[in-house]
Amino acid sequence: MTEATDLAERAGDGDPRVGLRAVAALRRLLENLEAVQVRSARRQGWSWQDIADELGVSRQAAHKKHGRQ
């Protein structure tokens, strides 16, 4: 997790350009990690409601975001 740790440190940088770039990179990393875990859950037979509950979103939101993966 060195990449995530480095990005988290840079997100707190005093230079807004450095911090904002790090925030954007963290957002992309989190989106990718979420997609990987949702695919794993679906392969293991989880329902959209189960996934939504863990993500703290509605079933419809989870399906809309990840249903085509």
Side-chain angles (χ1 to χ4, degrees):
M1 280 290 170
T2 302
E3 178 186 4
T5 302
D6 292 344
L7 288 171
E9 287 179 20
R10 287 195 304 247
D13 196 282
D15 180 347
R17 182 168 312 219
V18 173
L20 289 169
R21 286 180 181 166
V23 168
L26 281 167
R27 186 178 296 121
R28 288 188 300 272
L29 178 60
L30 286 172
E31 290 294 326
N32 289 335
L33 290 170
E34 182 177 309
V36 165
Q37 291 300 328
V38 168
R39 282 193 303 271
S40 176
R42 292 295 293 165
R43 279 194 302 271
Q44 293 179 39
W46 284 40
S47 71
W48 286 111
Q49 187 62 60
D50 294 334
I51 293 167
D53 289 345
E54 295 303 318
L55 291 175
V57 299
S58 70
R59 179 189 59 78
Q60 294 87 346
H63 186 264
K64 181 178 180 180
K65 184 173 182 179
H66 297 287
R68 295 182 183 165
Q69 296 178 1

